[in-house]
Amino acid sequence: MTKSTAEQGGTLTRQREAVLQVIRGSEEHLTASEIFEQARRLLPSISYATVYNSLKFLTNAGMVHEVKFGNGASRYDRETGRHDHALCTECGKLVDFDLDLTAELMRTAARRSHFKAESIHLTLRGLCPDCRPAG
Amino acid sequence: MTKSTAEQGGTLTRQREAVLQVIRGSEEHLTASEIFEQARRLLPSISYATVYNSLKFLTNAGMVHEVKFGNGASRYDRETGRHDHALCTECGKLVDFDLDLTAELMRTAARRSHFKAESIHLTLRGLCPDCRPAG
DNA sequence: TCTGGAATTAGAATAATTCTAAATTCCTTA
DNA sequence: TAAGGAATTTAGAATTATTCTAATTCCAGA
């Protein structure tokens, strides 16, 4: 049994590695189509379906994070630890930031929702530095 | 200048009202297509495009909330006040709950993200009561 | 080297949403 | 009350995001 990746079966193939490399190489939260464009430069024969398969694989393996808000497509984040997101209501910019949400807050959330909590995540909506009026 | 709706121009037409009524009539978070199906019963001639237009209108007017996670489509929530969401990682169920997030937390989030905060929202991922092992 | 399972490929299929252009509704004012 | 015009609705086409399918390729182990 050869497990190259942490928790699950499956191999970190060339194409999966290329997709990972693209995501790790960007500070932005790229969409599948942006990733496809860039991965193609590394591996010209890679197909769209493989990009989606790889994204699913990497997400399951915990090597990237999928985020979806705003309009349209899912975006992928190289940051895999717990963190939060700020979304600009003006230009759609999405940035990571960290808030030390306490275990207490997580317990409260679990109690009030009646869910067994796995993770919590905070989203701030507002204006990014560029869109904020008068600098 | 005739403003029927709170903050913006535009009229609360029959079709918009039907869409609103469908959303208000459900405890679930419906998708556009579910809303279309139900609105059709109230107003058989309503078209898909009008449902989307109405959803946009009602969202802008602050009369419904749009939420999007999980797989696929946007969902619409009759709850318009600040609140949080719990998403089941097993079955996809989405429920509202309330956490009294403090003004202090909002300020901290704004400071760390460098955004001007408009709203904050917490998402809990985990298992809903039905999917939790051993009742 | 052969073989089977896993992964990849191209392109078709599906799903969600937006766009377009024509028709309709509903005011507003003459 | 009729005409004009803006806002809205409609049907269907177009677009975008994602998944599926079937054939092919890759690779590890017997």
Side-chain angles (χ1 to χ4, degrees), chain A residues 2 14 32-33 48-49 52 56 68 72-74:
Chain A
T2 312
R14 266 178 314 135
S33 103
Y48 226 106
Y52 272 101
K56 199 162 291 179
K68 58 196 315 173
S74 280

Side-chain angles (χ1 to χ4, degrees), chain B residues 35-107:
Chain B
I35 292 166
F36 173 61
E37 286 311 328
Q38 295 193 33
R40 243 208 307 216
R41 294 190 210 135
L42 302 172
L43 218 52
S45 75
I46 199 171
S47 75
Y48 226 107
T50 298
V51 168
Y52 272 102
N53 289 341
S54 300
L55 289 170
K56 199 161 293 181
F57 174 87
L58 295 169
T59 301
N60 290 338
M63 303 171 84
V64 304
H65 261 190
E66 184 186 11
V67 293
K68 56 197 317 175
F69 349 69
N71 341 313
S74 280
R75 296 178 167 275
Y76 293 85
D77 191 345
R78 62 183 178 181
E79 199 54 63
T80 59
R82 209 211 72 73
H83 66 279
D84 304 291
H85 287 108
L87 178 66
C88 183
T89 52
E90 191 63 24
C91 70
K93 180 179 222 188
L94 181 63
V95 318
D96 291 348
F97 71 100
D98 268 297
L99 219 47
D100 11 80
L101 299 178
T102 62
E104 171 58 19
L105 185 64
M106 184 141 159
R107 278 194 298 274

Side-chain angles (χ1 to χ4, degrees), chain B residues 22-42:
Chain B
V22 168
I23 295 168
R24 290 211 169 136
S26 169
E27 300 195 18
E28 311 274 301
H29 298 76
L30 303 175
T31 63
S33 103
E34 290 163 343
I35 292 166
F36 173 61
E37 286 311 328
Q38 295 193 33
R40 243 208 307 216
R41 294 190 210 135
L42 302 172

Side-chain angles (χ1 to χ4, degrees), chain A residues 47-115:
Chain A
S47 76
Y48 226 106
T50 298
V51 168
Y52 272 101
N53 289 340
S54 299
L55 289 170
K56 199 162 291 179
F57 173 87
L58 295 168
T59 302
N60 289 338
M63 303 171 85
V64 305
H65 261 190
E66 183 186 12
V67 294
K68 58 196 315 173
F69 349 69
N71 340 312
S74 280
R75 297 178 167 275
Y76 294 86
D77 192 344
R78 62 183 178 181
E79 198 55 60
T80 58
R82 209 210 72 71
H83 65 280
D84 304 291
H85 287 109
L87 178 64
C88 182
T89 52
E90 190 65 24
C91 71
K93 179 178 222 187
L94 180 63
V95 317
D96 291 348
F97 71 101
D98 267 297
L99 220 47
D100 11 80
L101 299 179
T102 62
E104 172 57 20
L105 185 65
M106 185 141 157
R107 278 195 297 276
T108 307
R111 185 161 5 92
R112 300 218 178 147
S113 63
H114 310 295
F115 274 48

